[in-house]
Amino acid sequence: AFTQAILSEGFKPSTSGCLGPGVYFASFNGAKNVATHRANNAGAAVFRVRVNTSKCKSGIHPPWAGANF
């Protein structure tokens, strides 16, 4: 369901997050772990994308946020 919505409607920026609102990206292993953690057996997808990092913020996912990896 999420995959189809992204493909048909595009990415929708979050309204909040550790680094503020936006679309969050991660390394493949990081993205795979977050997707698995948040999917709760509902199915998850990891998209391979190219990102212009000149306009990105970066950070580390803190363990207290609910994903210990």
Side-chain angles (χ1 to χ4, degrees):
F2 294 120
T3 304
Q4 192 56 43
I6 290 169
L7 291 173
S8 64
E9 301 169 24
F11 285 104
K12 292 188 178 181
S14 66
T15 57
S16 64
C18 293
L19 299 174
V23 177
Y24 284 68
F25 295 94
S27 67
F28 176 76
N29 287 332
K32 184 174 68 171
N33 290 338
V34 170
T36 300
H37 174 76
R38 293 192 175 169
N40 294 326
N41 297 321
V46 175
F47 290 85
R48 185 176 182 171
V49 299
R50 186 173 294 162
V51 177
N52 177 349
T53 58
S54 68
K55 296 184 178 183
C56 291
K57 295 180 184 178
S58 64
I60 296 173
H61 199 282
W64 54 260
N68 295 319
F69 38 79

